[in-house]
Amino acid sequence: MKKILTLVAFIAALALPAQAQFDFGVKGGLNVSKLSLDKKVLTSDNQMGFFIGPTVKFTLPVINLGFDAAALFDQRSGEFEYDNTSTKLKLQSFQIPINVRWGFGIGNVVNLYIFAGPQFGFNLGNKVTSLLSDGAEWQYEKTAISGNAGLGVTLLNHLQVSVNYNLSFNKSGNLVVKNENGERIGYNGDKVNAKMNTWQIAVAYYF
């Protein structure tokens, strides 16, 4: 009996990779970002952005467990306000999210899934941007690490819609307030760490 069970387990282990499914597609969506500062220097509001790029999905149908990854051009925005002056900031980066996903649903028609995983970002824009009529300066980080957690639905094995929260694990950049603005609020020349956390709504199509 033990030999039979061992043989069945061995065959099942070999069968799983054979049943594994790879799907390639394209993914795009909206970013709704919020910059948070570790000092009350300036105020910032939620801003819209977008992302787009190729994606790949790996699934083990027997247990509905899988992974997905993407290579995305990502643009996020922030708006700083101080003393009736506002300036928008654009952060452009190359983002690589890698998520573990588990699905459950009604066959191939509708499949719900939850997912979570790390995301790695690389700055594509300027190293420094002047803000508030040169009264402040944004210094970009070259790389960023964040994490995703969310849920989605797949329709007919091709169309996928998801929503997730992207939480920054390290700072997105430094804000340096200078000139009379800095002197007025007591942070002249100081670097203020900033993190950008983002709600993301995505649509993907797998071929």
Side-chain angles (χ1 to χ4, degrees):
M1 186 66 177
K2 288 184 178 180
K3 291 182 179 181
I4 295 175
L5 292 175
T6 302
L7 180 60
V8 170
F10 179 74
I11 294 175
L14 292 178
L16 283 177
Q19 294 177 354
Q21 180 178 345
F22 284 92
D23 296 294
F24 296 89
V26 62
K27 180 178 183 179
L30 295 176
N31 291 319
V32 182
S33 302
K34 175 72 173 181
L35 268 172
S36 59
L37 308 173
D38 65 356
K39 295 179 182 179
K40 297 296 183 180
V41 182
L42 304 172
T43 61
S44 61
D45 295 325
N46 291 340
Q47 295 294 315
M48 299 288 289
F50 68 92
F51 56 91
I52 189 168
T55 182
V56 61
K57 178 175 63 173
F58 167 80
T59 309
L60 294 172
V62 175
I63 55 177
N64 282 331
L65 183 67
F67 301 87
D68 65 54
L72 305 173
F73 173 78
D74 184 286
Q75 179 173 295
R76 307 183 187 192
S77 300
E79 183 173 13
F80 292 100
E81 296 182 2
Y82 180 72
D83 197 20
N84 297 321
T85 303
S86 65
T87 305
K88 278 194 174 182
L89 174 70
K90 289 185 178 180
L91 291 86
Q92 296 180 339
S93 62
F94 176 64
Q95 297 286 335
I96 304 176
I98 303 173
N99 297 308
V100 179
R101 51 191 289 158
W102 179 69
F104 50 95
I106 308 172
N108 295 328
V109 179
V110 178
N111 184 269
L112 304 176
Y113 66 94
I114 56 176
F115 63 95
Q119 181 164 305
F120 307 94
F122 305 89
N123 178 38
L124 297 176
N126 299 325
K127 294 182 179 179
V128 175
T129 295
S130 295
L131 302 170
L132 305 177
S133 300
D134 203 33
E137 183 178 86
W138 174 269
Q139 299 175 351
Y140 295 86
E141 285 292 297
K142 294 181 180 179
T143 60
I145 301 175
S146 58
N148 292 314
L151 54 86
V153 58
T154 301
L155 303 174
L156 300 174
N157 276 342
H158 292 289
L159 183 63
Q160 175 180 288
V161 181
S162 64
V163 59
N164 70 277
Y165 190 67
N166 178 250
L167 177 66
S168 181
F169 293 152
N170 65 342
K171 62 183 179 181
S172 302
N174 294 307
L175 181 70
V176 180
V177 184
K178 54 185 181 178
N179 301 336
E180 66 277 4
N181 288 333
E183 294 174 359
R184 193 181 313 166
I185 58 180
Y187 292 117
N188 191 26
D190 287 356
K191 289 185 177 181
V192 180
N193 294 337
K195 290 184 177 182
M196 181 169 280
N197 299 322
T198 305
W199 282 101
Q200 297 182 310
I201 303 171
V203 176
Y205 185 85
Y206 290 95
F207 304 103

